[in-house]
PDB file of all heavy atoms in Angstrom:
ATOM      1  N   GLN A  63     192.123  49.010 178.163  1.00  0.00           N
ATOM      2  CA  GLN A  63     192.472  48.589 176.803  1.00  0.00           C
ATOM      3  C   GLN A  63     192.432  47.069 176.625  1.00  0.00           C
ATOM      4  O   GLN A  63     192.371  46.581 175.503  1.00  0.00           O
ATOM      5  CB  GLN A  63     193.875  49.101 176.440  1.00  0.00           C
ATOM      6  CG  GLN A  63     194.006  50.597 176.456  1.00  0.00           C
ATOM      7  CD  GLN A  63     193.126  51.255 175.410  1.00  0.00           C
ATOM      8  OE1 GLN A  63     193.105  50.854 174.259  1.00  0.00           O
ATOM      9  NE2 GLN A  63     192.365  52.260 175.829  1.00  0.00           N
ATOM     10  N   GLU A  64     192.491  46.337 177.724  1.00  0.00           N
ATOM     11  CA  GLU A  64     192.553  44.872 177.696  1.00  0.00           C
ATOM     12  C   GLU A  64     191.482  44.265 178.606  1.00  0.00           C
ATOM     13  O   GLU A  64     191.786  43.520 179.537  1.00  0.00           O
ATOM     14  CB  GLU A  64     193.949  44.392 178.118  1.00  0.00           C
ATOM     15  CG  GLU A  64     195.095  44.968 177.315  1.00  0.00           C
ATOM     16  CD  GLU A  64     195.086  44.561 175.853  1.00  0.00           C
ATOM     17  OE1 GLU A  64     194.519  43.498 175.514  1.00  0.00           O
ATOM     18  OE2 GLU A  64     195.647  45.304 175.044  1.00  0.00           O
ATOM     19  N   PRO A  65     190.199  44.564 178.366  1.00  0.00           N
ATOM     20  CA  PRO A  65     189.152  44.073 179.272  1.00  0.00           C
ATOM     21  C   PRO A  65     189.056  42.549 179.320  1.00  0.00           C
ATOM     22  O   PRO A  65     188.657  41.985 180.342  1.00  0.00           O
ATOM     23  CB  PRO A  65     187.875  44.704 178.718  1.00  0.00           C
ATOM     24  CG  PRO A  65     188.187  45.022 177.297  1.00  0.00           C
ATOM     25  CD  PRO A  65     189.648  45.344 177.258  1.00  0.00           C
ATOM     26  N   GLN A  66     189.461  41.875 178.252  1.00  0.00           N
ATOM     27  CA  GLN A  66     189.394  40.413 178.248  1.00  0.00           C
ATOM     28  C   GLN A  66     190.348  39.806 179.266  1.00  0.00           C
ATOM     29  O   GLN A  66     190.049  38.766 179.862  1.00  0.00           O
ATOM     30  CB  GLN A  66     189.625  39.842 176.833  1.00  0.00           C
ATOM     31  CG  GLN A  66     191.010  40.060 176.269  1.00  0.00           C
ATOM     32  CD  GLN A  66     191.255  41.436 175.650  1.00  0.00           C
ATOM     33  OE1 GLN A  66     190.640  42.433 176.017  1.00  0.00           O
ATOM     34  NE2 GLN A  66     192.178  41.494 174.706  1.00  0.00           N
ATOM     35  N   LEU A  67     191.487  40.460 179.508  1.00  0.00           N
ATOM     36  CA  LEU A  67     192.418  39.956 180.525  1.00  0.00           C
ATOM     37  C   LEU A  67     191.844  40.161 181.928  1.00  0.00           C
ATOM     38  O   LEU A  67     191.957  39.281 182.781  1.00  0.00           O
ATOM     39  CB  LEU A  67     193.777  40.638 180.404  1.00  0.00           C
ATOM     40  CG  LEU A  67     194.606  40.254 179.176  1.00  0.00           C
ATOM     41  CD1 LEU A  67     195.871  41.095 179.106  1.00  0.00           C
ATOM     42  CD2 LEU A  67     194.944  38.775 179.194  1.00  0.00           C
ATOM     43  N   SER A  68     191.231  41.295 182.155  1.00  0.00           N
ATOM     44  CA  SER A  68     190.584  41.533 183.454  1.00  0.00           C
ATOM     45  C   SER A  68     189.499  40.505 183.711  1.00  0.00           C
ATOM     46  O   SER A  68     189.379  39.968 184.814  1.00  0.00           O
ATOM     47  CB  SER A  68     189.976  42.934 183.495  1.00  0.00           C
ATOM     48  OG  SER A  68     190.992  43.899 183.423  1.00  0.00           O
ATOM     49  N   HIS A  69     188.735  40.224 182.688  1.00  0.00           N
ATOM     50  CA  HIS A  69     187.653  39.237 182.818  1.00  0.00           C
ATOM     51  C   HIS A  69     188.223  37.849 183.096  1.00  0.00           C
ATOM     52  O   HIS A  69     187.730  37.125 183.965  1.00  0.00           O
ATOM     53  CB  HIS A  69     186.792  39.244 181.557  1.00  0.00           C
ATOM     54  CG  HIS A  69     185.657  38.279 181.610  1.00  0.00           C
ATOM     55  ND1 HIS A  69     184.561  38.468 182.422  1.00  0.00           N
ATOM     56  CD2 HIS A  69     185.460  37.107 180.960  1.00  0.00           C
ATOM     57  CE1 HIS A  69     183.729  37.442 182.264  1.00  0.00           C
ATOM     58  NE2 HIS A  69     184.260  36.608 181.388  1.00  0.00           N
ATOM     59  N   ARG A  70     189.268  37.472 182.367  1.00  0.00           N
ATOM     60  CA  ARG A  70     189.875  36.142 182.535  1.00  0.00           C
ATOM     61  C   ARG A  70     190.344  35.914 183.969  1.00  0.00           C
ATOM     62  O   ARG A  70     190.225  34.814 184.505  1.00  0.00           O
ATOM     63  CB  ARG A  70     191.065  35.969 181.590  1.00  0.00           C
ATOM     64  CG  ARG A  70     191.694  34.586 181.703  1.00  0.00           C
ATOM     65  CD  ARG A  70     192.999  34.417 180.965  1.00  0.00           C
ATOM     66  NE  ARG A  70     192.967  34.889 179.602  1.00  0.00           N
ATOM     67  CZ  ARG A  70     194.062  35.022 178.844  1.00  0.00           C
ATOM     68  NH1 ARG A  70     195.260  34.715 179.328  1.00  0.00           N
ATOM     69  NH2 ARG A  70     193.975  35.452 177.618  1.00  0.00           N
ATOM     70  N   TYR A  71     190.871  36.952 184.589  1.00  0.00           N
ATOM     71  CA  TYR A  71     191.409  36.817 185.947  1.00  0.00           C
ATOM     72  C   TYR A  71     190.490  37.411 187.015  1.00  0.00           C
ATOM     73  O   TYR A  71     190.902  37.613 188.147  1.00  0.00           O
ATOM     74  CB  TYR A  71     192.817  37.419 186.009  1.00  0.00           C
ATOM     75  CG  TYR A  71     193.772  36.598 185.180  1.00  0.00           C
ATOM     76  CD1 TYR A  71     194.175  37.018 183.924  1.00  0.00           C
ATOM     77  CD2 TYR A  71     194.211  35.366 185.637  1.00  0.00           C
ATOM     78  CE1 TYR A  71     195.013  36.244 183.144  1.00  0.00           C
ATOM     79  CE2 TYR A  71     195.045  34.582 184.869  1.00  0.00           C
ATOM     80  CZ  TYR A  71     195.447  35.022 183.623  1.00  0.00           C
ATOM     81  OH  TYR A  71     196.261  34.242 182.848  1.00  0.00           O
ATOM     82  N   ASN A  72     189.244  37.676 186.636  1.00  0.00           N
ATOM     83  CA  ASN A  72     188.217  38.139 187.568  1.00  0.00           C
ATOM     84  C   ASN A  72     188.631  39.405 188.324  1.00  0.00           C
ATOM     85  O   ASN A  72     188.376  39.546 189.518  1.00  0.00           O
ATOM     86  CB  ASN A  72     187.833  37.022 188.543  1.00  0.00           C
ATOM     87  CG  ASN A  72     186.509  37.280 189.213  1.00  0.00           C
ATOM     88  OD1 ASN A  72     185.623  37.901 188.625  1.00  0.00           O
ATOM     89  ND2 ASN A  72     186.357  36.826 190.441  1.00  0.00           N
ATOM     90  N   VAL A  73     189.288  40.306 187.614  1.00  0.00           N
ATOM     91  CA  VAL A  73     189.684  41.587 188.198  1.00  0.00           C
ATOM     92  C   VAL A  73     188.466  42.495 188.180  1.00  0.00           C
ATOM     93  O   VAL A  73     187.897  42.766 187.134  1.00  0.00           O
ATOM     94  CB  VAL A  73     190.850  42.216 187.403  1.00  0.00           C
ATOM     95  CG1 VAL A  73     191.151  43.615 187.905  1.00  0.00           C
ATOM     96  CG2 VAL A  73     192.079  41.317 187.489  1.00  0.00           C
ATOM     97  N   GLN A  74     188.075  42.946 189.355  1.00  0.00           N
ATOM     98  CA  GLN A  74     186.867  43.755 189.466  1.00  0.00           C
ATOM     99  C   GLN A  74     187.113  45.138 190.051  1.00  0.00           C
ATOM    100  O   GLN A  74     186.198  45.965 190.094  1.00  0.00           O
ATOM    101  CB  GLN A  74     185.827  43.009 190.302  1.00  0.00           C
ATOM    102  CG  GLN A  74     185.426  41.704 189.649  1.00  0.00           C
ATOM    103  CD  GLN A  74     184.434  40.927 190.481  1.00  0.00           C
ATOM    104  OE1 GLN A  74     183.880  41.429 191.449  1.00  0.00           O
ATOM    105  NE2 GLN A  74     184.205  39.690 190.098  1.00  0.00           N
TER     106      GLN A  74
END
Side-chain angles (χ1 to χ4, degrees):
Q63 299 296 312
E64 305 296 335
Q66 66 278 27
L67 289 175
S68 295
H69 181 71
R70 182 189 311 169
Y71 293 102
N72 198 31
V73 173
Q74 298 178 11

